[in-house]
Amino acid sequence: MVTTVKSSRLLKPLSLVAVIFLTVSGGPYGLEPLLQFVGKNGALLLLMTVPFLWDLPSIFMVLELNSMMPVEGGYYKWVNRALGLRWAFYEGWWTWLYSFTDLAIYPVLFVTYLSFFFPAIAAYKIYICLIIIWSCAGLNMLGILPVGKVSLVLSTIVLIPFFILFGYSFFSTSFHFAAPVFSLQHVGFTSIGMGLYTVMWNFLGWDNTTTYAGEVDKPVRSYLISMVVAFIAVLAVYLLTVFVTQNSGVDLNELSDKGYPLLGIKTGGTWLGILLSVGGMASALGIFSAVMLSISRIPRAMAEDRLLPTWFAKSHKRFNTPYISIIVCAVVVSFMVLWTFTDLIVIDVILYGAGLFLEFISLIVLRAKEPAAIRPFKIPLNIFGLCIMALLSCSVYVIALTSVFMQSATKTTPAIFAIGALFSAEIIWLVIRFTLKPGRS
């Protein structure tokens, strides 16, 4: 089933930049523990290396495959074409689970920044999280254009406080400039691993932005421009934020607990702390809506291939949105908010990384199987070069995963849970294979 969308209802590049920014980043919120894990010298080092090993290969892969298949369903469709229905189901299932985990993080972050104004509000965390989850689900049911417009507004609210923070810091006489030192000396391997998880999580999700490519105006060109702009913006904001933080004299342990509003208070006063708190809440809302937009399109694509019950493929009569998928997503995330922030990050990255490598394999397989296929954007590497590029991301993933299992048994629980979730794909596939008869009309 092919869904046709009127050109007037297609997402334009500027809105796409905002949606990508919120899907991948949403600002530096959530980056606070990095300095605590790897220290002042290690934080900038990881930010200067990990994105080029972990993100750039992913971005290039996404741009090539999306230019070849700019369709709704994105990465699920790529894996299906390259590796078949079974591995496409694995891809859809893993990314569905990853997105549930990812979405659960942001209502919790919203409450964290809201508590800056109302400290006692933490006692009502679950109720507030549920309000956020179902409000964003309602917004997604209205369609991609409302989400895009809201994303533009929220991205502006997120970035303005940090621009003020940068300006106030660099032009203030109390700001003591110190040249950055790049080193991981005296940092333990497990701490480096947690630092990697923090950076990886703050940069993941480039492939998620392609699941609604069929609803984007001139998708090949729009994605190329938007991803380049978004990557530069994310990296620049992260580097400036960490640089200001490490020169501010703020207590890193306290920063990890209270977030960037504490940095704002120390740098400019209470007024700047308030702005950064508002930005944190806007970030949480924006990321939640953007990620829900991306993941809600996958079950519909899977249902069309009989990998999920057909009612997942139903679209709202007025808004043409996969409302059943959105509702199911909101229900599951309502339970996932019970995990801690750190545990959710570990689960998130492990599940996401597994799906990402299936996409890299699909990239390589399609180059071999369909070398003459039209690719408006093509990575200037042969198959051997593509394998090396994929190994760069793989190496970062393996180091981070290894570091978790070197910690105490209690701290490995989220990693074990995530690996168990990965293996669940085969069990669910066997059930679907004998009940829904995937691929048959």
Side-chain angles (χ1 to χ4, degrees):
M1 182 177 68
V2 179
T3 303
T4 303
V5 182
K6 294 180 180 179
S7 60
S8 60
R9 301 182 65 181
L10 293 173
L11 198 65
K12 301 299 188 287
L14 183 59
S15 294
L16 183 60
V17 170
V19 174
I20 291 175
F21 174 78
L22 288 174
T23 302
V24 174
S25 168
Y29 299 103
L31 200 61
E32 294 97 329
L34 179 62
L35 287 118
Q36 184 185 30
F37 289 136
V38 297
K40 295 181 178 180
N41 297 335
L44 281 175
L45 177 60
L46 290 187
L47 281 175
M48 290 295 292
T49 54
V50 173
F52 295 95
L53 299 174
W54 171 250
D55 286 89
L56 278 187
S58 303
I59 291 172
F60 289 144
M61 175 267 294
V62 167
L63 287 173
E64 176 167 326
L65 290 177
N66 188 65
S67 74
M68 183 180 176
M69 297 178 63
V71 296
E72 186 160 327
Y75 48 79
Y76 165 77
K77 294 291 188 180
W78 307 338
V79 176
N80 191 0
R81 181 163 168 174
L83 305 175
L85 269 181
R86 182 176 192 165
W87 289 107
F89 172 77
Y90 272 51
E91 175 74 9
W93 182 255
W94 287 344
T95 52
W96 209 19
L97 296 180
Y98 135 72
S99 296
F100 292 153
T101 307
D102 196 48
L103 284 170
I105 293 172
Y106 305 113
V108 175
L109 279 179
F110 182 93
V111 175
T112 298
Y113 290 108
L114 182 61
S115 64
F116 177 85
F117 302 101
F118 310 103
I121 205 72
Y124 304 95
K125 183 184 81 170
I126 299 300
Y127 301 105
I128 296 172
C129 287
L130 291 176
I131 291 172
I132 293 168
I133 290 167
W134 289 97
S135 297
C136 291
L139 175 64
N140 267 265
M141 287 185 194
L142 297 178
I144 192 169
L145 286 184
V147 174
K149 292 175 181 177
V150 170
S151 295
L152 272 174
V153 174
L154 293 177
S155 295
T156 303
I157 297 174
V158 169
L159 290 175
I160 285 177
F162 282 99
F163 291 154
I164 295 173
L165 173 69
F166 302 151
Y168 197 92
S169 298
F170 290 124
F171 292 103
S172 173
T173 55
S174 61
F175 183 78
H176 302 290
F177 175 83
V181 177
F182 306 108
S183 173
L184 288 172
Q185 191 174 7
H186 306 304
V187 180
F189 183 69
T190 54
S191 295
I192 293 174
M194 290 309 299
L196 285 175
Y197 272 111
T198 304
V199 176
M200 291 163 74
W201 175 70
N202 277 278
F203 274 98
L204 59 78
W206 301 99
D207 52 342
N208 285 346
T209 64
T210 64
T211 61
Y212 40 81
E215 302 170 67
V216 174
D217 187 36
K218 300 176 182 176
V220 175
R221 179 178 181 273
S222 294
Y223 274 100
L224 177 59
I225 295 172
S226 300
M227 284 197 171
V228 171
V229 172
F231 178 76
I232 293 172
V234 171
L235 184 59
V237 171
Y238 284 1
L239 288 172
L240 286 171
T241 302
V242 170
F243 181 71
V244 168
T245 302
Q246 68 180 22
N247 284 281
S248 68
V250 68
D251 182 86
L252 300 182
N253 292 324
E254 195 176 2
L255 176 72
S256 182
D257 292 333
K258 297 183 179 179
Y260 286 120
L262 178 67
L263 176 63
I265 293 173
K266 184 172 181 60
T267 303
T270 303
W271 65 272
L272 188 51
I274 291 173
L275 287 180
L276 286 166
S277 295
V278 172
M281 291 186 285
S283 173
L285 291 174
I287 298 173
F288 191 97
S289 293
V291 173
M292 180 171 275
L293 174 69
S294 67
I295 193 57
S296 63
R297 271 57 181 172
I298 293 301
R300 179 161 66 184
M302 294 174 69
E304 289 169 0
D305 289 330
R306 300 182 66 84
L307 292 175
L308 287 176
T310 54
W311 40 265
F312 272 105
K314 290 184 179 180
S315 295
H316 194 282
K317 292 181 180 179
R318 178 179 177 185
F319 303 114
N320 195 36
T321 51
Y323 69 100
I324 301 249
S325 174
I326 292 170
I327 292 172
V328 171
C329 182
V331 169
V332 176
V333 175
S334 296
F335 290 97
M336 290 294 292
V337 294
L338 298 175
W339 283 89
T340 67
F341 177 75
T342 304
D343 288 347
L344 287 170
I345 287 180
V346 172
I347 297 170
D348 204 357
V349 173
I350 291 175
L351 291 173
Y352 175 80
L356 183 67
F357 296 129
L358 274 184
E359 296 164 30
F360 275 118
I361 293 171
S362 298
L363 171 69
I364 295 166
V365 169
L366 287 173
R367 275 286 193 95
K369 287 172 57 177
E370 304 181 34
I374 298 174
R375 296 171 172 87
F377 178 89
K378 185 175 182 180
I379 303 168
L381 295 172
N382 57 22
I383 291 179
F384 177 76
L386 294 178
C387 291
I388 298 299
M389 185 185 77
L391 285 175
L392 292 176
S393 288
C394 183
S395 63
V396 177
Y397 180 81
V398 170
I399 291 171
L401 183 59
T402 303
S403 70
V404 172
F405 285 101
M406 294 182 66
Q407 300 185 48
S408 62
T410 55
K411 293 184 177 180
T412 62
T413 301
I416 294 172
F417 174 85
I419 291 173
L422 292 177
F423 280 105
S424 71
E426 177 62 20
I427 298 172
I428 303 301
W429 163 256
L430 292 175
V431 172
I432 288 173
R433 181 182 175 186
F434 292 106
T435 56
L436 299 180
K437 309 298 182 184
R440 296 184 184 181
S441 57

